[in-house]
Amino acid sequence: MVYLEDDIKNFDFESSLPLLSPQRREQALQFRFERERKLSAMAYLLLCKGLREEFGIAEPPLFEYGEFGKPRLSGHAGIHFNLSHCREAAVCVLSDRPVGVDIESVREYDESLLDQVMNGREKERILRSPRPDMEFIRLWTMKEAVLKCSGRGLVDDMRHVLDERPSELITLSGPEGRYVYSICYGNQEVALSK
């Protein structure tokens, strides 16, 4: 299930603090700017909402971290989740199999990044697109979602992340094309073997 919130302006960060676990409260307060603190709290509260609605879990979740920093729920090995936020919104995805999500604001991109993070086909798609900025962000979120699903995080060679397509990869855009998010669902067999 996907939970998304993009009403940052009306989110009351101070009122959210008692709803956060001490672990997440500390993480949120480490952000320098209020917007980032709000987004961190929003993403966590989306997770709390999803856990209540989907699994009947009412207590604030605590995280454990994998080898490359991917969070997982302490005490709930069968529930997979991933969080992401950008300037415009926060998103949480819950699943019974490995999952990764990335959300990014659509903005002008630096063409010098193309050779570093996109392969030839992807560069061509971006440069031929009527909205190169949107296509770049779309491909970037797809790559990050795949990597987050696997638990690897960012890798040295981003150009070939999408060469082997995962079982399920979904990409959507927000209102007025302000942001793009991608969700990658891994294989159930992978989830069962861990």
Side-chain angles (χ1 to χ4, degrees):
M1 188 56 93
V2 179
Y3 295 87
L4 185 129
E5 179 60 62
D6 60 6
D7 187 9
I8 300 163
K9 181 181 175 187
N10 293 313
F11 182 79
D12 184 350
F13 178 69
E14 293 302 320
S15 294
S16 77
L17 287 175
L19 305 174
L20 307 179
S21 70
Q23 178 190 47
R24 189 60 175 202
R25 188 178 314 119
E26 182 180 325
Q27 290 171 339
L29 289 170
Q30 287 179 0
F31 285 100
R32 182 174 175 196
F33 297 107
E34 180 184 17
R35 181 179 211 90
E36 284 76 23
R37 288 191 297 267
K38 282 183 171 185
L39 288 161
S40 177
M42 285 171 71
Y44 181 83
L45 292 177
L46 290 172
L47 173 62
C48 292
K49 178 181 179 179
L51 289 172
R52 265 191 324 275
E53 291 179 3
E54 304 296 320
F55 301 97
I57 299 172
E59 72 271 4
L62 293 177
F63 299 159
E64 298 172 348
Y65 296 91
E67 178 182 357
F68 299 103
K70 182 177 182 177
R72 57 182 177 255
L73 296 175
S74 182
H76 300 282
I79 301 172
H80 299 268
F81 80 98
N82 206 227
L83 306 173
S84 186
H85 55 79
C86 66
R87 248 187 93 62
E88 308 291 332
V91 63
C92 169
V93 180
L94 288 155
S95 180
D96 61 353
R97 57 188 168 143
V99 66
V101 65
D102 186 50
I103 189 167
E104 300 288 340
S105 301
V106 175
R107 61 193 177 281
E108 191 174 325
Y109 70 97
D110 182 350
E111 279 195 39
S112 68
L113 284 177
L114 286 180
D115 288 328
Q116 296 173 29
V117 299
M118 301 294 170
N119 65 36
R121 280 186 329 278
E122 294 164 346
K123 286 191 292 189
E124 188 174 321
R125 281 174 60 179
I126 291 166
L127 296 173
R128 290 179 184 251
S129 171
R131 289 279 317 266
D133 56 345
M134 179 80 82
E135 189 64 17
F136 178 87
I137 295 298
R138 189 177 78 74
L139 288 164
W140 178 263
T141 62
M142 291 168 69
K143 290 173 185 251
E144 278 222 40
V146 166
L147 291 170
K148 288 174 76 176
C149 180
S150 73
R152 291 183 296 166
L154 293 179
V155 294
D156 290 335
D157 187 2
M158 293 290 290
R159 293 173 297 194
H160 300 288
V161 170
L162 297 177
D163 289 353
E164 292 182 34
R165 296 299 290 264
S167 59
E168 193 174 346
L169 186 60
I170 302 162
T171 302
L172 302 162
S173 59
E176 294 111 33
R178 295 179 311 163
Y179 54 86
V180 172
Y181 61 103
S182 292
I183 304 161
C184 177
Y185 294 95
N187 295 326
Q188 184 65 29
E189 297 81 41
V190 174
L192 295 174
S193 67
K194 290 189 176 182

